[in-house]
Amino acid sequence: MASDLKAELRKKVWKLMDKYRVALGPRPCYGRIPPFLGSSVAARRISKKDFFRNAEVIYSTPDISQRHVRVEALRMGKTLVMATPYFRRGLIVVDGRDVPRGKVTYAATMRGALVYGSRVDVTTDIKIDIFLTGSVAVDEAGGRLGRGDGMQDLEYAILRELRLATDDTITVTTVHDTQIVE
């Protein structure tokens, strides 16, 4: 029953994003965490918040919709951590202070992170301050839905198990207004 409700909410959001043409990239946006109009504005707003300015290490899922937040983090000299697909090759750690100014946007992508970062199998040296993830839908109480495959939940669970993420780790996502549901 709950999974049916989640599936319906996802369909509703994807349909609205396509209808109002706020999803960027290929359409229809079904089955994806779509990039959206205004994502760069949302990223700049987040980057001005105290919790973001004070953070040193940001973990990000590789969603395109969160790329602008990753760019802001690297511009601010923060450490960005991303998992390789399905954790097959461990984690990638990018120190924003080591990325040339003109390469920050590229370094915020998976390919660029592999160029400007270091791949590590497992590390316990890092404490993740912010867990950045993409979402299909969110509610105002902090609930979120991904695309339905459980990958972001798995990433978070692994980080918790490794004690890289703790109760103090802040979870952040950016979404378009059409992605906010009751």
Side-chain angles (χ1 to χ4, degrees):
M1 182 80 118
S3 62
D4 291 340
L5 177 61
K6 290 178 182 180
E8 286 304 313
L9 280 173
R10 286 183 188 99
K11 286 179 188 174
K12 175 185 171 187
V13 168
W14 286 324
K15 186 176 179 179
L16 281 173
M17 292 185 83
D18 277 341
K19 176 182 177 181
Y20 294 115
R21 302 179 97 40
V22 296
L24 303 175
R27 282 196 199 84
C29 64
Y30 294 80
R32 303 177 43 232
I33 294 178
F36 58 91
L37 285 174
S39 58
S40 62
V41 174
R44 281 193 300 277
R45 285 182 181 166
I46 285 176
S47 71
K48 293 177 182 176
K49 300 288 184 184
D50 285 341
F51 74 87
F52 194 88
R53 288 196 334 257
N54 294 332
E56 294 177 18
V57 179
I58 297 173
Y59 178 90
S60 179
T61 58
D63 307 301
I64 296 171
S65 60
Q66 304 308 310
R67 180 177 52 94
H68 294 291
V69 181
R70 292 192 298 269
V71 168
E72 291 294 329
L74 291 174
R75 277 192 184 132
M76 295 170 80
K78 299 183 182 308
T79 298
L80 177 65
V81 180
M82 292 194 289
T84 58
Y86 304 102
F87 285 96
R88 286 189 185 127
R89 297 185 62 211
L91 299 170
I92 304 166
V93 179
V94 183
D95 186 333
R97 298 170 299 185
D98 296 338
V99 178
R101 237 189 211 316
K103 300 295 182 179
V104 170
T105 300
Y106 179 59
T109 66
M110 182 61 71
R111 279 197 179 115
L114 286 166
V115 171
Y116 291 101
S118 303
R119 193 185 64 76
V120 296
D121 290 323
V122 176
T123 182
T124 54
D125 305 5
I126 303 172
K127 178 190 169 280
I128 295 169
D129 299 308
I130 296 174
F131 180 82
L132 175 65
T133 185
S135 298
V136 172
V138 297
D139 66 21
E140 293 193 16
R144 69 165 287 281
L145 287 176
R147 65 181 172 255
D149 65 357
M151 274 310 298
Q152 280 115 347
D153 297 328
L154 178 62
E155 287 181 49
Y156 185 76
I158 289 170
L159 296 172
R160 287 294 299 232
E161 186 67 26
L162 294 172
R163 293 186 173 86
L164 303 178
T166 67
D167 290 342
D168 294 329
T169 302
I170 297 168
T171 300
V172 175
T173 192
T174 59
V175 295
H176 188 272
D177 289 348
T178 57
Q179 294 174 269
I180 301 171
V181 298
E182 287 186 24

